[in-house]
Amino acid sequence: MSDFHSHLIPKIDDGVKELPEALEIITQLKELGVQTIVTTPHVSQHAYPNKTTGILAAFSELQHAATAAGINVELAVAAEYYLDDSFQTDLHQKEPLLTFGRKHLLFETNYLSEPLQLKEVVFQLVTQGYRPMLAHPERYHYMSLAKAEDLRTRGVNLQINLLSLIGYYSPSVQRLAEKMIDAKIINAVSSDCHQPQQARLLQKVAVCKYYQRALELPLINFDIHA
């Protein structure tokens, strides 16, 4: 399967700090059966104002390190875009954005309140040929099953974090993730790994009941590669 959400490029966001950490995570994911890893550094106007050229250059170093370490896994890079003014400007001006697969674009919002422009941004993404993927919808305080279903009807793919299934973020996040799986509305699962200790916890996820239920769904993890 493929993993479409992680933070494995050192010192570019809140993910790994050094290359050995990234290589440890990659090795852990490979042992769990992941064959393709798309790492997705944050891109946000204020916290992580990363540019495409900088991301690609830093990713190249990660690729070389993985090859030198003899890790046989397909690595690719996209981004996790924060829905802010800068992202909307780039979208309006039709600036090229980092995607994976069949023009899938990973994005996130603030955790507390639903952005007023969310549906409009989704509409713009879809009309420009992107396939928007909302990162970890189960973690947003404003999210409900009904809102998640509505976004899906608008063309949004829903990606839940694997660690949500073992209560890593909170019991309420776990419950919403389970409801989404029961409702069969999720499109992808991903690690969202930032540190090696999170990757190690994925061993617990592998034997989780709801992880097995998720794997029974038509996830794009099995359909597309980088």
Side-chain angles (χ1 to χ4, degrees):
M1 63 185 296
S2 302
D3 187 276
F4 307 129
H5 186 179
S6 62
H7 300 268
L8 307 182
I9 299 177
K11 302 175 183 176
I12 201 170
D13 60 7
D14 60 344
V16 301
K17 304 304 179 187
E18 304 293 341
L19 279 171
E21 295 178 68
L23 298 181
E24 181 180 342
I25 293 173
I26 292 169
T27 301
Q28 292 273 355
L29 290 175
K30 182 183 176 184
E31 289 175 357
L32 288 171
V34 176
Q35 297 174 326
T36 300
I37 299 172
V38 182
T39 193
T40 50
H42 289 290
V43 175
S44 61
Q45 185 174 355
H46 299 295
Y48 307 106
N50 290 308
K51 302 297 183 184
T52 296
T53 53
I55 290 173
L56 294 177
F59 173 69
S60 180
E61 295 182 20
L62 176 63
Q63 273 188 312
H64 289 314
T67 299
I71 303 174
N72 184 25
V73 66
E74 182 181 9
L75 291 176
V77 65
E80 182 180 8
Y81 290 99
Y82 185 75
L83 201 163
D84 56 19
D85 292 340
S86 179
F87 176 66
Q88 292 179 78
T89 298
D90 287 347
L91 189 59
H92 179 72
Q93 296 177 350
K94 297 186 178 179
E95 296 287 341
L97 301 171
L98 289 168
T99 63
F100 64 91
R102 304 184 188 98
K103 212 174 178 183
H104 288 82
L105 183 142
L106 185 69
F107 77 101
E108 64 175 341
T109 75
N110 78 81
Y111 282 90
L112 297 178
S113 58
E114 180 179 351
L116 296 175
Q117 67 275 37
L118 176 58
K119 295 180 177 65
E120 173 60 27
V121 169
V122 167
F123 177 77
Q124 290 184 49
L125 285 167
V126 172
T127 55
Q128 289 188 32
Y130 291 105
R131 297 186 178 191
M133 178 179 289
L134 181 59
H136 42 63
E138 74 279 8
R139 295 183 62 192
Y140 302 120
H141 295 294
Y142 65 82
M143 190 61 66
S144 65
L145 193 61
K147 287 183 178 180
E149 290 174 328
D150 177 70
L151 287 170
R152 197 168 187 266
T153 63
R154 296 173 186 272
V156 177
N157 291 288
L158 303 176
Q159 172 261 305
I160 65 170
N161 283 3
L162 290 171
L163 292 180
S164 294
L165 301 180
I166 57 171
Y168 178 81
Y169 304 102
S170 75
S172 60
V173 168
Q174 180 178 357
R175 285 194 295 272
L176 183 53
E178 291 173 349
K179 288 179 181 178
M180 290 179 177
I181 292 172
D182 285 337
K184 301 181 179 180
I185 62 171
I186 68 165
N187 304 96
V189 294
S190 291
S191 67
D192 194 10
C193 277
H194 288 65
Q195 298 93 25
Q197 53 266 40
Q198 291 178 323
R200 296 183 202 117
L201 285 172
L202 293 175
Q203 297 288 348
K204 293 184 177 180
V205 178
V207 296
C208 170
K209 175 178 69 174
Y210 269 90
Y211 176 62
Q212 300 303 322
R213 289 189 183 181
L215 294 184
E216 295 172 359
L217 302 177
L219 302 178
I220 67 172
N221 300 80
F222 301 108
D223 264 351
I224 61 176
H225 296 284

